[in-house]
Amino acid sequence: MGEKMSNCKASCSVLLVFFIVGLCSVCQYSAAQVDANQAANLIINASISRPIPETLFGIFFEEINHAGAGGIWAELVSNRGFEAGGQNTPSNIAPWSIIGDQSSLTVSTDRSSCFERNKVALQMDVLCDSKGSNICPAGGVGIYNPGFWGMNIEQGKVYKVVLFVRSLGSINVSVSLTSSDGSKMLATANILDSDVSNWTKVEVLLEATGTNPNSRLQLTTSRKGVIWFDQVSAMPVDTYKGHGFRNELIEMLDDIKPQFIRFPGGCFIEGEWLRNAFRWKESIGPWEERPGHFGDVWMYWTDDGLGYFEFLQLAEDLGSRPIWVFNNGISHQDQVDTTAVLPFVQEALDGLEFARGDSNSKWGSVRAAMGHPEPFDLKYVAVGNEDCGKKNYRGNYLKFYNAIRSAYPDIKIISNCDGSSRSLDHPADYYDFHIYTSASNLFSMTHQFDRTSRTGPKAFVSEYAVTGKDAGTGSLLAALAEAGFLIGLEKNSDIVEMASYAPLFVNVNDRRWNPDAIVFNSSKHYGTPSYWVQKLFRESSGANLLDSKLQTNSSTLVASAITWQNSDGKTYLKIKIVNFGNSKVNLKVSIDGLGLSSQLSESTKTVLTSSNLMDENSFSDPKKVVPAQTLVENADKDMDLVLTPYSVTSFDLLTESNSIRMPQTDSFSRSSI
């Protein structure tokens, strides 16, 4: 994500009229509002085709909107190491709070932790007791953590609590999961120990007897004395492939078959100031030793349990290619001079050794100690994010480029500078292209790359989305424009090799950017219409793009045709059409060079539309705008179809044969498709 916005202008007056109509939140598709039906022809020649890169569509993850901390990373405790309040003590322990009053306990922080990189620990001085003149209240006194706007605790599930504790005397501490006010116990266990004079790691498994999406973790006691706590973690035992990720959110990613994952930012890797930029070395090793940091662009603390290693593991778990974005000595507010940037270059080289090095190498051995002796398949890196216009970028970039190319000649290097309209003045394998704009503008950019030079670096459209009033918090209007843009990228996939939507996730309790593909809170989630558009394109990567000609007088229709194979080896013809206008369209489809199967149960039609352009999904109605699928009963080489106004329609038609003619790139015309 970033501050750089496109200034591309809409060139079509028809789109301008649509844009004005589209903003009307009460726009309905009644008979009075729909123009006379339009007619169009789509001619598909399957004997002329070319392969689409296997990398075309993927995802971009940035730590924004609490997408990671309090999101896909399943850690339930916020500020688990008491470091978020800063290194000076006493410090703010929020969101931790106290159970009891000043007569029963006092709580503060000090720098007594056993962890060198995060010295702050919490000291709890219990003044009451189970007997005597100052009796502790029922249930004891202590501290609690509400997590990230409530912990989702589910009946029958098991949660692992890990904490470090120290005390001069024996302890009897209850570790509990409770309702938000502590009145209902969902799970509890006691820590009894007569000798914790040195920092001691304690692990507890809690099985929930009830469900509450707004729960909390509490540590309580009724025994007088001083207790220190540090690095308190609570996670569900059941996570995605056992690697610490929230199942249902990662399954949403798996469903769109991402061919790559760009991580961890975005502005997150830059920082408003370099001192607050994400640094990979601070995010590896045992979680309790990671210092965490304050992300001063999106303005929240992360414990960095979701670190460099975890991102590489996630890419592997999803079967996606990792694309690592690292800081190149430049933030939003300050930058390192090229003459002094070599330590940053070395940090990047160390990061590559961590990912790819032999398990006996310095940094490869650290990875191996974390449980992954085999190297990760890291072959793409981006040098910075949206820094092209910065004074030192080109000089810094060349230092990184030369060092990485020398040490890892197979790694593809991505420049921040846009090479779509003019050649780059520096070497690169890819150039980065970002676009956030209105619906009319983005739809008009269907042909953005038609005239781009086919020589030199390939394009990586790593951030795109409709934003502003058109988008709301995830509208049908935005999704339709994005679908049209993606068809353009698909057609230009000989130069555009990768593309990803941004941002990917938003926790509704900290919405820093609108819109986003997947919306969630502690217990619920849904995909916006933009998410469902991405799912319609999931078969495109590695497919064959067929020669197709759309004959129409309308500027609000775009279409493409591909062939793809499912896991059973069956070949399908997929035709995608976006109708960005307010009229029904009578579409005549003619297919040459490819026979279609007569099996009625194998061919489908999928439509994404709704009754209002600004319709959105929500927690109360998560499937208001989702694709609807029906069987196609008359699949043939000549078909008469009707396209709904303001819709994306995808036909998946089973072919007679699992083979088609080999790609013929010589006669393939970009303008025809």
Side-chain angles (χ1 to χ4, degrees), residues 78 238 244 308 393 436 520 547 559:
S78 177
D238 180 20
Y308 183 42
Y393 181 70
Y436 298 100
F520 66 90
D547 183 74

Side-chain angles (χ1 to χ4, degrees), residues 165-171 193-200 228:
V165 63
R166 181 172 72 91
S167 181
L168 299 180
S170 62
I171 61 170
D193 205 313
S194 59
D195 183 11
V196 287
S197 55
N198 295 314
W199 281 105
T200 303
W228 286 265

Side-chain angles (χ1 to χ4, degrees), residues 74-187:
E75 174 63 65
L76 297 173
V77 177
S78 177
N79 188 20
R80 68 185 181 198
F82 309 102
E83 304 289 329
Q87 292 302 301
N88 295 322
T89 58
S91 57
N92 187 358
I93 63 171
W96 290 92
S97 294
I98 296 172
I99 301 170
D101 57 30
Q102 291 181 357
S103 68
S104 57
L105 84 164
T106 59
V107 172
S108 185
T109 54
D110 62 24
R111 294 181 55 79
S112 65
S113 174
C114 59
F115 301 112
E116 289 302 318
R117 292 197 295 176
N118 40 20
K119 293 299 295 183
V120 177
L122 182 132
Q123 177 182 323
M124 188 170 77
D125 193 349
V126 181
L127 307 177
C128 60
D129 207 342
S130 58
K131 56 186 178 181
S133 59
N134 188 7
I135 302 294
C136 292
V141 297
I143 54 175
Y144 72 86
N145 188 289
F148 300 89
W149 302 283
M151 299 179 180
N152 183 40
I153 303 302
E154 299 178 81
Q155 183 174 357
K157 291 194 174 181
V158 178
Y159 300 84
K160 183 178 182 179
V161 178
V162 181
L163 58 87
F164 290 78
V165 63
R166 181 172 72 91
S167 181
L168 299 180
S170 62
I171 61 170
N172 184 352
V173 175
S174 294
V175 181
S176 308
L177 296 169
T178 75
S179 58
S180 60
D181 61 0
S183 62
K184 183 177 180 180
M185 194 70 65
L186 302 175

Side-chain angles (χ1 to χ4, degrees), residues 23 47 121 200 232 251 261 328 404 423 490 495 568 617 631:
L23 290 181
S47 65
T200 303
V232 182
E251 287 165 0
I261 174 170
N328 67 103
I404 295 170
S423 299
E490 192 177 70
I495 184 64
D568 295 327
N617 295 327
L631 293 177

Side-chain angles (χ1 to χ4, degrees), residues 113-323:
S113 174
C114 59
F115 301 112
E116 289 302 318
R117 292 197 295 176
N118 40 20
K119 293 299 295 183
V120 177
L122 182 132
Q123 177 182 323
M124 188 170 77
D125 193 349
V126 181
L127 307 177
C128 60
D129 207 342
S130 58
K131 56 186 178 181
S133 59
N134 188 7
I135 302 294
C136 292
V141 297
I143 54 175
Y144 72 86
N145 188 289
F148 300 89
W149 302 283
M151 299 179 180
N152 183 40
I153 303 302
E154 299 178 81
Q155 183 174 357
K157 291 194 174 181
V158 178
Y159 300 84
K160 183 178 182 179
V161 178
V162 181
L163 58 87
F164 290 78
V165 63
R166 181 172 72 91
S167 181
L168 299 180
S170 62
I171 61 170
N172 184 352
V173 175
S174 294
V175 181
S176 308
L177 296 169
T178 75
S179 58
S180 60
D181 61 0
S183 62
K184 183 177 180 180
M185 194 70 65
L186 302 175
T188 189
N190 279 3
I191 301 173
L192 294 168
D193 205 313
S194 59
D195 183 11
V196 287
S197 55
N198 295 314
W199 281 105
T200 303
K201 183 178 182 179
V202 178
E203 298 185 5
V204 175
L205 292 177
L206 300 176
E207 183 174 350
T209 58
T211 296
N212 191 323
N214 193 30
S215 303
R216 72 189 198 188
L217 172 72
Q218 58 184 42
L219 307 174
T220 56
T221 185
S222 296
R223 180 174 295 181
K224 187 176 182 179
V226 181
I227 305 174
W228 286 265
F229 293 110
D230 197 13
Q231 296 300 329
V232 182
S233 169
M235 294 186 78
V237 170
D238 180 20
T239 60
Y240 188 77
K241 296 190 176 182
H243 290 144
F245 292 93
R246 185 170 156 183
N247 279 313
E248 69 274 23
L249 296 183
I250 303 304
E251 287 165 0
M252 291 279 284
L253 302 184
D254 191 40
D255 281 348
I256 59 175
K257 299 179 180 178
Q259 297 303 304
F260 64 82
I261 174 170
R262 176 181 182 242
F263 67 87
C267 295
F268 182 70
I269 65 100
E270 296 175 277
E272 195 66 21
W273 296 91
L274 279 172
R275 62 179 174 267
N276 292 317
F278 176 82
R279 296 295 178 86
W280 75 266
K281 288 182 180 178
E282 303 296 297
S283 74
I284 62 169
W287 60 265
E288 62 268 20
E289 296 178 9
R290 303 181 191 183
H293 81 289
F294 179 73
D296 62 349
V297 175
W298 307 122
M299 301 301 290
Y300 59 89
W301 174 266
T302 58
D303 289 312
D304 291 335
L306 175 54
Y308 183 42
F309 176 90
E310 287 74 22
F311 282 116
L312 292 167
Q313 184 66 66
L314 177 61
E316 184 175 273
D317 288 347
L318 289 171
S320 305
R321 299 160 181 83
I323 301 178

